[in-house]
Amino acid sequence: MTNVSNESVEKVGSSSGASRLFASLAVLLCLVFGFIIWKFVMGNPANFENGDPNNHPLPGNFLGMVYKGGIVVAALIGLLTMTVVFSLERFAVISKAAGKGEVGKFVQEIQVSINAGKIEEAMEACDAQQGSVANVVRAGLVKYQEMKKEGYTSEEATEAIQKEIEEATTLEMPMLEKNMIVLATLVSIGTLVGLLGTVTGMIKAFSALATAGTPDSTALSASISEALTCTATGIGTSTLAIVMYNTFTTKIDRLTYSIDEAGFAITQSYRKFRGLSK
């Protein structure tokens, strides 16, 4: 048991280090990507009057108008890109953990096999599933076989099987909630950065209006429109982040519940076996 625990700790530590490195690099690259898009795509001289980004955008040119939102726009693009990148990364990890086929159907088939005493058949189904849930269930079934051969009591076997399932879960599924904190943070920070861009844009708009002397409603409307673009982008980022966060949280809960269901079936099957053997 100690060897299994040491292996679990080592693998979890390695996975955590790789996950932190990925998260750090992804955040940095997304921010750099956002700056490049803002500076060289939106800030392309072709989007502005007289080919000068310091001038007003060409009439109807959306990219030039968004560029005028300032450096905050670059941060917002980076945040939106982060949301997409981490959503794809979480989707890949959770899909791999689920394995082949539908998890609920797999657990039902496992329960039927276990209740019928067909442990080898259940283990073969776990091998075919090839997912983290299946690996955890298989570890519980292996321990079940060991307890059965040794003739342990129901209480002793139940405790040992549950402990094995917990250790297998620690080994197989430590990455499921990794980087979820990033999505949770993006839910709030997206809107806040968008509002920051809007506030700074409004400050610049009214400052320019104050120094101009004569009110120019057209210029003021354009400036306000540029500022509000930041809010729209920030809200869009937060909306996408919260939808993906809730979706992945639900999937993780389902996987955990599936493991609990299978673990309960294994322990109940052992109790039934001990009852019949008396």
Side-chain angles (χ1 to χ4, degrees), residues 153-170:
T153 64
S154 297
E155 290 73 18
E156 291 173 336
T158 298
E159 183 179 352
I161 291 171
Q162 289 177 342
K163 186 174 182 180
E164 185 69 17
I165 290 176
E166 289 174 0
E167 290 188 351
T169 302
T170 303

Side-chain angles (χ1 to χ4, degrees), residues 196-213:
L196 175 63
T198 298
V199 170
T200 55
M202 296 290 282
I203 291 173
K204 289 190 294 183
F206 284 104
S207 295
L209 181 64
T211 56

